[in-house]
Amino acid sequence: MNETLRLLATRRSAPPIVMRGPGPTPEELRKLLTLAARVPDHGKLAPWRFILFEGAGRARAGEILAEIVARREPGAEAPRLDLERGRFSRAPLVIGVVSRAAPHVKIPEWEQQLSAGAVCMALTVAATAMGFRTAWLTEWCAYDREAMARFGLAEHERIAGFIHIGRVDNAAEDRARPDLDRLITVF
């Protein structure tokens, strides 16, 4: 099996809570984003963009989420607010992949959204190939218009995923995979 197939066959997610640094260097990060931008993109629209949550920006994002929760849930206790404060600080780097899908005369929005999903997958594979572990998450803040606006998203933009990138000390256990025979139809 060649190296690419082996990588695809063995790639595993890791919970961000077990991730540690160091994260990607600036050069590695640039390479990751360059590779992620090479996904299928009908019409060459680049219907996605990146938000980097690193360093102090991770804590700022967490404070925004804690503030939203505290206002909406006046009785929220400290552990709940601490969870939000730490949501983006679990891994040394979180890349928000923003779908910028919009009406287009030739390119359906669905294809543009799929391209953003492909960016998320390309990031996870590229980071794994560089020796990092990843987790592609959304969580509540990916669907919350206030949180999205505070992270700088325009009204038509959506979060395709938050890609958490870091290092782990232990090999990941594989999870149960789907039964392919139940998923295949021959036409």
Side-chain angles (χ1 to χ4, degrees):
M1 186 182 317
N2 77 29
E3 196 173 325
T4 302
L5 295 177
R6 188 175 357 275
L7 174 67
L8 291 170
T10 60
R11 186 207 64 79
R12 305 285 182 270
S13 296
I17 195 74
V18 301
M19 292 182 186
R20 60 170 175 75
T25 65
E27 296 78 22
E28 288 171 325
L29 177 56
R30 185 74 177 183
K31 179 111 175 154
L32 281 172
L33 298 176
T34 299
L35 293 169
R38 292 187 58 88
V39 298
D41 175 12
H42 188 192
K44 300 178 187 122
L45 302 176
W48 28 258
R49 65 184 182 88
F50 305 106
I51 300 174
L52 305 180
F53 298 91
E54 56 186 348
R58 297 174 306 148
R60 280 195 315 275
E63 286 300 328
I64 287 169
L65 299 182
E67 178 187 314
I68 291 170
V69 169
R71 191 178 65 256
R72 291 182 187 168
E73 301 173 25
E77 296 185 11
R80 169 80 167 99
L81 299 177
D82 289 343
L83 173 73
E84 299 308 331
R85 283 186 187 97
R87 188 170 298 280
F88 284 85
S89 296
R90 298 176 286 194
L93 172 66
V94 179
I95 301 175
V97 178
V98 178
S99 171
R100 303 183 316 141
H104 187 276
V105 66
K106 288 186 178 180
I107 315 304
E109 286 184 61
W110 174 238
E111 287 185 23
Q112 296 174 54
Q113 292 167 349
L114 291 172
S115 185
V119 166
C120 293
M121 188 64 198
L123 272 172
T124 66
V125 172
T128 301
M130 289 181 167
F132 297 99
R133 294 294 291 282
T134 66
W136 174 359
L137 303 176
T138 49
E139 304 180 293
W140 71 269
C141 52
Y143 303 99
D144 186 273
R145 283 308 328 168
E146 181 181 359
M148 286 188 274
R150 301 274 305 272
F151 291 161
L153 276 70
E155 186 63 34
H156 74 283
E157 294 180 319
R158 300 174 66 182
I159 295 290
F162 293 111
I163 311 303
H164 298 248
I165 301 174
R167 300 181 189 277
V168 298
D169 294 322
N170 300 318
E173 295 181 25
D174 201 3
R175 64 175 172 83
R177 301 297 171 169
D179 177 359
L180 288 181
D181 292 329
R182 296 178 54 123
L183 303 174
I184 298 171
T185 302
V186 177
F187 185 78

